[in-house]
Amino acid sequence: MLTIDAVHLREINMPLAFPFETSFGVTTTRRILLVEIESEGLTAWGECVAGEHPYYSDECIDTAWIVTENELAPRLVGQEVAGGCGCPELFRQVRGHRMAKAALENAVWDLEAQKKKLPLADLLGGTRNVIPCGVSIGIQSSPAALFDKIEQALAEGYQRIKLKCKPGWDTRIFEQVRTRWPDILLSCDANSAYRVRDIDHIVEWDEFKLLMIEQPLWYDDFYFHSMLQKRLETAICLDESIRNRRDALAAIDMESCRIINVKVGRVGGFSEAIAVHNATAERGVPVWCGGMLETGIGRAHNIALSSLPNFSLPGDVSASRRYWAEDIIEPEVTVSARGEITVPDGIGSGYTVLRDRIEALTVRRRTVRAAARVMA
Ligand code: OSB
Ligand code: MG
């Protein structure tokens, strides 16, 4: 049992090393909610992956802050929890807000690993010592700029290139990339930028032998993706649509996709991410770990999750320096020339959180202690 003594919330502001453009806009600086949980002299961190705006999902940092401070942290402090797997029950009364819940739950898993003196990856059920890595490359100002980015990522060893796309930055781009690199593992991610009227257009992409087409249609859809998947040879991968294990089962049964992107924040924490992993593994559907432009804290948690056996495709978990001039963990995450990250074997996340650097980036903070506990 772990007794939770306090939850500290902070917002840090951190400029990205390179702007990141998707079908919903450009991000240049991240505003990130970090939580730090104190328990019996131990401390662990969690990162909330909600964005600056409610564009990728209906959560954003400001909703996550309010829900964490007013609802979730008060349900956790002063409690005895068995470990990370006890969090979903404590948070059950609060609907949605899965990214806010995940930040706290993941920190509790990290605490549990520390208390049991285990690597977090082992506690989660991980079996891999190294994980295969890909990159997600944003929309660029020109095709030439994109080709430079691809060339660089391939030179660094990354095993899969994912191109962000949207109407006007799609077929012509894929064609040029395929002509130049006929054999690389290539995929695309539309972040819901297309509609049913675009189905004939999307079907043309079969000729580019993409590994997958990620979330082409609505962010909350299964039915129309299933219609599209029937027309495609290429696998659809769902990201936004999959909120939990039940969604994964529905999508698999309806044949809305053949691959699933698991983001621990999007599904509400490690417990549900493991449930999605197990359900997909039983049905022979491969998964990979998505990214949300995380700092080292979230990245370390993604690495631990990616060590589970059904994470068989390269994830969007890549090196710290692709995102940040200076990360907030040590050592920073690096990728080998073979395009792999070594899963750390130290206790807990296996990385050291750089408190001084976080302090310098902090723009607001709040502490929730046991006295503030909500009686449910
Ligand atoms: O859809 O995978 C996505 C970043 C922000 C929001 C959504 C997505 C992404 C990425 C970046 O693709 C992945 C990364 O962290 O490198
Ligand atoms: Mg995606």
Side-chain angles (χ1 to χ4, degrees):
M1 284 297 198
L2 290 159
T3 303
I4 307 298
D5 300 318
V7 173
H8 305 280
L9 290 73
R10 2 173 139 225
E11 176 181 340
I12 60 167
N13 289 1
M14 227 168 134
L16 282 167
F18 307 96
F20 190 76
E21 181 170 351
T22 66
S23 61
F24 33 68
V26 186
T27 308
T28 50
T29 296
R30 297 283 343 269
R31 292 177 55 211
I32 299 165
L33 166 58
L34 298 178
V35 296
E36 184 188 7
I37 302 186
E38 279 181 58
S39 167
E40 305 166 17
L42 298 172
T43 178
W45 294 79
E47 175 168 346
C48 177
V49 300
E52 294 70 34
H53 302 280
Y55 299 166
Y56 166 82
S57 76
D58 42 23
E59 289 184 84
C60 64
I61 175 173
D62 296 306
T63 65
W65 182 285
I66 288 172
V67 170
T68 304
E69 180 181 348
N70 296 347
E71 300 286 345
L72 303 176
R75 283 177 166 77
L76 196 56
V77 294
Q79 293 285 0
E80 277 206 332
V81 287
C85 68
C87 291
E89 183 58 29
L90 286 176
F91 298 156
R92 206 161 71 109
Q93 192 176 23
V94 177
R95 291 192 179 168
H97 300 283
R98 292 182 302 280
M99 294 175 177
K101 290 173 178 172
L104 291 172
E105 184 187 319
N106 296 351
V108 174
W109 280 91
D110 198 322
L111 277 173
E112 183 185 350
Q114 291 181 40
K115 183 149 180 181
K116 293 179 172 166
K117 300 200 182 338
L118 283 173
L120 176 61
D122 291 9
L123 182 66
L124 298 176
T127 55
R128 296 170 189 278
N129 301 320
V130 296
I131 62 167
C133 303
V135 291
S136 172
I137 302 183
I139 294 163
Q140 303 294 314
S141 55
S142 66
L146 175 66
F147 302 155
D148 285 350
K149 292 270 180 188
I150 296 173
E151 198 143 76
Q152 191 186 338
L154 292 171
E156 286 167 3
Y158 285 101
Q159 298 182 21
R160 185 224 63 205
I161 303 290
K162 160 173 140 184
L163 306 178
K164 289 290 187 179
C165 67
K166 63 177 183 182
W169 185 270
D170 52 17
T171 315
R172 286 278 298 130
I173 296 294
F174 305 152
E175 190 170 35
Q176 293 174 71
V177 171
R178 258 305 176 227
T179 304
R180 183 140 166 205
W181 292 282
D183 300 320
I184 59 170
L185 280 187
L186 184 68
S187 68
C188 69
D189 184 358
N191 289 114
S192 308
Y194 298 90
R195 295 295 173 258
V196 167
R197 63 171 173 272
D198 304 311
I199 284 185
D200 287 339
H201 172 71
I202 294 171
V203 166
E204 289 173 17
W205 304 347
D206 269 341
E207 72 171 287
F208 305 123
K209 304 291 176 216
L210 301 175
L211 177 62
M212 66 189 103
I213 298 170
E214 188 175 338
Q215 198 75 37
L217 306 176
W218 294 267
Y219 70 93
D220 56 357
D221 172 75
F222 297 110
Y223 178 69
F224 292 100
H225 281 97
S226 163
M227 276 178 46
L228 175 59
Q229 182 68 88
K230 285 185 180 53
R231 300 262 329 264
L232 281 170
E233 279 168 35
T234 310
I236 291 177
C237 170
L238 289 180
D239 172 352
E240 284 90 328
S241 295
I242 307 294
R243 300 161 300 177
N244 50 44
R245 174 179 181 274
R246 289 177 299 102
D247 282 345
L249 294 176
I252 292 168
D253 254 33
M254 292 174 73
E255 296 179 53
S256 305
C257 64
R258 297 188 196 133
I259 296 174
I260 288 176
N261 167 337
V262 181
K263 288 181 180 163
V264 61
R266 196 194 64 226
V267 302
F270 282 134
S271 301
E272 196 66 29
I274 293 167
V276 172
H277 168 273
N278 294 347
T280 52
E282 281 169 20
R283 287 159 185 80
V285 172
V287 301
W288 52 280
C289 182
M292 291 290 286
L293 312 176
E294 288 92 347
T295 73
I297 291 173
R299 197 166 299 281
H301 288 170
N302 287 343
I303 293 168
L305 181 65
S306 302
S307 72
L308 272 67
N310 197 38
F311 282 84
S312 53
L313 294 170
D316 279 346
V317 183
S318 45
S320 296
R321 62 159 191 196
R322 285 184 43 82
Y323 305 85
W324 316 110
E326 290 183 318
D327 206 339
I328 56 174
I329 58 165
E330 225 171 45
E332 65 170 28
V333 175
T334 55
V335 169
S336 74
R338 300 172 57 181
E340 293 171 337
I341 293 173
T342 301
V343 180
D345 54 12
I347 288 169
S349 78
Y351 294 90
T352 303
V353 173
L354 299 175
R355 185 179 292 278
D356 289 351
R357 202 165 281 168
I358 291 174
E359 201 59 51
L361 298 168
T362 299
V363 298
R364 60 170 161 162
R365 68 179 82 224
R366 187 80 79 232
T367 293
V368 180
R369 289 187 192 279
R373 194 154 83 80
V374 165
M375 301 307 289

